[in-house]
Amino acid sequence: GASTYEISLACLSRRGIFISFGNASGAVPAFPVLKLNAKSAFVTRPKLGDYIADPDEFASRCSDVFNWLKEAKLKVGIDRTFDLEESVEGHRYLEQGNSK
């Protein structure tokens, strides 16, 4: 997002790939493509629909994620929970980039 893209670009290795996904701190602003030139880096902004094209692929990806969770290869951090009545506050919390 907006608050981390400069750091992400700076830490790229030669031929590294800058992947912009999500906007928790705001959208990444436009930047000159020549910033990528020094390291022959790449940039992409993927969207989920291009990686889950049909129901079978969706089921396969879901299976992967749940297996990673079960095998503790993927850990999910939950820093705060909200009751259903607080759903508006929960959305604001996420939109303001407060989640950890």
Side-chain angles (χ1 to χ4, degrees), residues 9-25:
L9 287 173
C11 74
L12 286 175
S13 63
R14 190 171 55 119
R15 294 189 309 260
I17 303 173
F18 170 69
I19 302 169
S20 175
F21 187 83
N23 294 313
S25 63

Side-chain angles (χ1 to χ4, degrees), residues 54-65:
D54 57 48
D56 290 336
E57 190 171 14
F58 178 75
S60 175
R61 300 277 185 194
C62 286
S63 177
D64 289 342
V65 170

Side-chain angles (χ1 to χ4, degrees), residues 39-74:
K39 298 178 182 179
S40 295
F42 301 84
V43 64
T44 185
R45 178 64 162 105
K47 63 184 189 303
L48 189 58
D50 290 328
Y51 290 86
I52 299 177
D54 57 48
D56 290 336
E57 190 171 14
F58 178 75
S60 175
R61 300 277 185 194
C62 286
S63 177
D64 289 342
V65 170
F66 286 115
N67 283 330
W68 295 334
L69 288 167
K70 186 170 70 175
E71 297 165 3
K73 293 180 179 177
L74 176 65

